Amino acid sequence: MKRRKLLWYSLLFVVGCASEVNTADQLAITAPKKLRLAVTDVTGIEDLQRDFGAFRIALGEVLGIPIEFFPVDNPTAAAPALLSGQLDMVFAGPSEYLILNARSKAIPVIALQRINYHSVILVRADSNIKSLTQLKGKTIAMREIGSTSGHLSPTKMLMDAGLDPNTDLKIVLLNDKGVVALKKGEVDAWATAFDRYQNVIAREGLSEQDFSILVKGPLLPNDVFMVSNQIAASFVEDLRSRMIKNQDKLIESIVIAPANQKYKGGQLITAKDSDYDMIREVYRKLGQENFLQ
């Protein structure tokens, strides 16, 4: 009887080992020999190296394969590169993710959650405007078309307050110069991300005392790492697992760059397509569904 049990346990051990070997072999077969990485808001190889060079090295160490930069001029340019197999992985903002998902069926893998990633709409400290509804007939400065925190989210906040952004007020796109225009009285309000607001007024030599936050929106969808849908599902799962397991190392390599301080204190979490439905809703309400086609 004991001998029979010994033989049974020995068989289980052999099968278990074989299973582990087969899993490792399968990952080795499905893993690409290298990953080509693009960052949608960083153009040029020199800027990529400056802002994400340390991350490229860290990710390569975590995955055990080389990571190569693939510069793109804009988010739209990444879509055909993903479709043709020239590009494997993209790091993009929420709005850019939706464009790439719609045009190339890119798969969301890992989201980089930012603390204090909220949109704010500000007025001058001496303004008589105390609510969003009082912006009717006024002019508001925003960042640029498609910016999650500086255009889409503030637009949704206006719509939720009962305002039609196409007819009830004037929107001007001034990027970070919106704060100067607000200070000079050239616009009545300014919309941007909360952390960006703090950085911009410091850079412009202004004070928070000069402005009043009219409204602060909810936490926004996260920036996301996505991959080509041509990459094997087993490798995608392994990629997700390794990035989360080694997130301290990866995030540290990102925030080394001065341009990436907005990610300081963040964390890597599993990305879900449904997390970005809020942005889809704004595009639909604006009649701009063509951005997502």
Side-chain angles (χ1 to χ4, degrees):
M1 187 68 175
K2 291 182 178 179
R3 182 180 179 185
R4 187 178 302 169
K5 286 186 176 180
L6 180 60
L7 288 172
W8 174 247
Y9 291 139
S10 298
L11 178 61
L12 288 177
F13 176 75
V14 171
V15 171
C17 290
S19 176
E20 290 182 6
V21 170
N22 289 339
T23 301
D25 288 345
Q26 184 65 24
L27 285 174
I29 292 171
T30 58
K33 294 182 179 179
K34 63 182 177 181
L35 271 183
R36 291 155 296 188
L37 170 69
V39 180
T40 56
D41 64 350
V42 181
T43 58
I45 194 69
E46 291 183 3
D47 290 346
L48 280 169
Q49 184 59 38
R50 179 196 65 206
D51 295 344
F52 286 91
F55 172 75
R56 180 185 65 80
I57 294 172
L59 183 61
E61 292 172 350
V62 166
L63 300 179
I65 57 176
I67 309 297
E68 295 181 358
F69 283 135
F70 188 97
V72 292
D73 293 332
N74 55 68
T76 305
L82 285 164
L83 286 169
S84 66
Q86 295 177 291
L87 178 60
D88 305 302
M89 188 176 193
V90 182
F91 183 49
S95 179
E96 290 86 355
Y97 159 70
L98 289 181
I99 294 172
L100 294 177
N101 175 259
R103 300 184 182 184
S104 70
K105 306 304 178 186
I107 301 168
V109 180
I110 289 291
L112 179 46
Q113 192 175 55
R114 290 163 53 180
I115 59 174
N116 288 327
Y117 189 32
H118 304 263
S119 291
V120 289
I121 296 178
L122 304 105
V123 294
R124 290 183 303 278
D126 60 356
S127 174
N128 293 323
I129 298 173
K130 305 299 180 183
S131 68
L132 288 181
T133 55
Q134 291 179 288
L135 287 175
K136 187 170 184 177
K138 306 296 185 180
T139 300
I140 181 172
M142 294 191 183
R143 190 178 173 199
E144 59 187 2
I145 291 178
S147 167
T148 301
S149 60
H151 176 232
L152 297 175
S153 174
T155 298
K156 186 177 188 305
M157 292 158 68
L158 293 171
M159 292 189 295
D160 289 346
L163 297 172
D164 185 332
N166 295 313
T167 59
D168 286 340
L169 69 168
K170 182 179 180 181
I171 295 175
V172 292
L173 302 174
L174 300 179
N175 211 317
D176 291 340
K177 294 302 181 183
V179 67
V180 176
L182 179 59
K183 175 66 176 177
K184 292 180 177 179
E186 297 170 350
V187 298
D188 302 290
W190 172 48
T192 188
F194 179 68
D195 55 353
R196 194 175 191 92
Y197 149 66
Q198 294 176 313
N199 293 334
V200 170
I201 63 171
R203 189 171 69 229
E204 295 291 339
L206 301 172
S207 168
E208 291 188 30
Q209 305 302 317
D210 297 327
F211 308 98
S212 174
I213 295 178
L214 195 61
V215 63
K216 183 178 181 180
L219 193 65
L220 293 169
N222 307 302
D223 293 356
V224 61
F225 290 94
M226 69 196 82
V227 297
S228 164
N229 63 6
Q230 300 173 38
I231 293 180
S234 57
F235 176 73
V236 174
E237 288 302 319
D238 186 55
L239 169 64
R240 181 181 290 117
S241 175
R242 291 186 186 219
M243 288 187 71
I244 289 179
K245 183 178 179 180
N246 295 275
Q247 65 173 289
D248 290 346
K249 175 178 181 175
L250 295 175
I251 293 176
E252 182 180 352
S253 70
I254 291 174
V255 300
I256 285 176
N260 295 332
Q261 294 307 296
K262 60 187 178 182
Y263 300 117
K264 197 168 185 178
Q267 63 177 327
L268 296 178
I269 60 173
T270 298
K272 303 189 299 292
D273 180 76
S274 59
D275 293 339
Y276 303 88
D277 285 344
M278 178 272 283
I279 303 174
R280 288 188 175 98
E281 178 188 354
V282 178
Y283 274 120
R284 284 195 296 269
K285 287 186 175 180
L286 288 175
Q288 297 177 348
E289 295 95 334
N290 59 304
F291 277 99
L292 307 180
Q293 297 173 354

